[in-house]
Amino acid sequence: MLQRILTFFERYSFGVCTYLGERFNISISKIRLFFIYSSFLAVGFPLIFYFFAGIVLDIRNFIKRKHTGVTDL
């Protein structure tokens, strides 16, 4: 049950924590906790960073998909 919930959120979220965890070799749960705790302390600033990073990653993935589609011809 818990694994299904985590899979749902991971699939439909931006994947910022996963990207940062893989990039810097840090546990994903620690990054998520950092965002949660720092959001309370910094009055939402980390959430703004999270959404901005999510948009950038989404655009980056979109460009990669477009680029690989052209080269497959």
Side-chain angles (χ1 to χ4, degrees):
M1 178 72 174
L2 182 62
Q3 187 62 33
R4 286 180 46 201
I5 294 170
L6 289 175
T7 305
F8 173 79
F9 281 114
E10 195 64 38
R11 185 180 303 153
Y12 293 109
S13 67
F14 290 118
V16 174
C17 295
T18 305
Y19 176 77
L20 291 174
E22 291 173 354
R23 180 82 174 173
F24 297 116
N25 199 19
I26 300 172
S27 173
I28 298 168
S29 61
K30 289 182 182 179
I31 295 174
R32 288 183 181 136
L33 285 175
F34 170 75
F35 274 113
I36 292 168
Y37 291 144
S38 61
S39 293
F40 289 120
L41 294 175
V43 191
F45 177 72
L47 292 177
I48 295 169
F49 170 76
Y50 184 88
F51 288 125
F52 179 72
I55 291 169
V56 168
L57 287 175
D58 204 27
I59 291 171
R60 183 177 173 190
N61 289 337
F62 178 75
I63 292 172
K64 280 184 180 179
R65 278 184 269 151
K66 281 290 204 181
H67 190 271
T68 56
V70 173
T71 59
D72 289 341
L73 295 175

